[in-house]
Amino acid sequence: MQESNNFMAVHPAIQPTLCVIGFPVAGNAMQFATERALTEAGLDWKFVSFNVSPDDFDEAVRGAKALGLAGLAFAAPFETQLANHVDRIDPDQPPNPWIDFLQPNQGRWVGSNQLGRAVVELVCQAVPEPTEVVILGDGPQARGIASHFATKSLACQMVDHLPLEHLDSGAAVIHADASDGAPFPLNGLETAGCQSAGCCVELSLDTAPQLPLGPQSIAISAVDVLVRRFANGFCDWTGLPAQPSTLREAIEEYFEL
């Protein structure tokens, strides 16, 4: 059995287990995609999904940690509720961030912002030196992404209004969430200014409405973000890379895209 250098030592006869906790957890593709990646990597690991009510969340996390799980992931609405459950935050994270992954490392639980990391990596891949980053929305995802841009000394602004003007090819626009956690509404808003941006990022799998793309704009879809987020988390948990094509195929199959 292959083992990661990242997680707490377990007896070799014990199957390493990963989990995702959410409420509701149904509709989350992480287990489906990660199991494909584990099989491809030749790892005899298990991945489980737990539906946990907010009232039981703290107890559930303490229990998962006590059981010696190899890693934990978190879905809505828990990504902003992990501050009391981490012993250390990834050095790339600012104080009080969005935390969606936990992993044990040398006896301590380390929290990371894999959503923010994925978006920053994809934006900087599309626009290597972004001149401006605009995040549409002021919800939990928006704040988590903004906090991660700050760690890279990349200025960004969260806005809750349009139109957007004076965006050039070095700009990135991220369609995030509103304060209630739902996708930031675009209906009735002027979005033409987005067409001059270098890239546009969508975080919701909902097909409409989405940001308009100009002829030179690079589209970063919600699936692109999920693939990068799952791949980074998989590598942190296991110490091994996950094939992006395997994760993408699993995500698209799960959501019937």
Side-chain angles (χ1 to χ4, degrees):
M1 176 185 298
Q2 290 178 275
E3 294 187 10
S4 162
N5 293 324
N6 293 333
F7 62 88
M8 296 176 183
V10 296
H11 191 280
I14 297 176
Q15 185 180 37
T17 301
L18 305 166
C19 83
V20 59
I21 296 174
F23 186 75
V25 77
N28 189 297
M30 186 176 293
Q31 177 176 347
F32 188 74
T34 303
E35 286 177 338
R36 290 275 184 90
L38 289 170
T39 298
E40 186 173 64
L43 293 174
D44 183 23
W45 290 33
K46 181 181 288 293
F47 196 109
V48 293
S49 298
F50 294 121
N51 194 64
V52 176
S53 74
D55 290 342
D56 296 327
F57 176 68
D58 290 332
E59 185 176 359
V61 176
R62 287 192 293 268
K65 291 163 68 173
L67 289 170
L69 269 64
L72 288 73
F74 299 90
F78 300 128
E79 301 98 334
T80 59
Q81 301 178 29
L82 271 296
N84 294 329
H85 294 285
V86 297
D87 301 310
R88 181 169 66 85
I89 296 175
D90 187 342
D92 285 340
Q93 311 298 322
N96 301 315
W98 164 291
I99 299 173
D100 51 11
F101 276 63
L102 284 182
Q103 70 179 76
N105 190 317
Q106 299 180 346
R108 306 176 73 187
W109 286 89
V110 181
S112 59
N113 177 353
Q114 297 291 357
L115 172 65
R117 176 185 173 189
V119 172
V120 170
E121 288 178 356
L122 290 168
V123 165
C124 291
Q125 180 178 315
V127 184
E129 296 183 1
T131 57
E132 184 177 9
V133 178
V134 178
I135 302 176
L136 298 178
D138 58 355
Q141 287 184 335
R143 294 193 297 272
I145 292 167
S147 71
H148 203 80
F149 272 105
T151 69
K152 305 302 181 184
S153 300
L154 294 171
C156 68
Q157 58 174 325
M158 291 190 298
V159 301
D160 58 3
H161 64 279
L162 293 172
L164 293 175
E165 299 176 348
H166 310 302
L167 294 178
D168 59 28
S169 60
V173 182
I174 301 165
H175 182 196
D177 55 347
S179 58
D180 61 359
F184 180 79
L186 298 180
N187 289 327
L189 298 178
E190 177 55 59
T191 58
C194 299
Q195 297 184 58
S196 58
C199 74
C200 292
V201 182
E202 292 287 350
L203 297 183
S204 173
L205 289 166
D206 192 359
T207 56
Q210 294 190 339
L211 296 171
L213 291 173
Q216 304 301 319
S217 297
I218 296 174
I220 298 173
S221 70
V223 172
D224 295 330
V225 175
L226 284 177
V227 169
R228 182 64 64 94
R229 181 171 171 243
F230 290 178
N232 287 343
F234 183 92
C235 186
D236 286 352
W237 279 337
T238 68
L240 297 174
Q243 291 298 323
S245 58
T246 298
L247 294 173
R248 181 177 297 276
E249 180 179 313
I251 291 167
E252 291 178 346
E253 179 180 340
Y254 184 86
F255 289 113
E256 299 181 344
L257 299 176

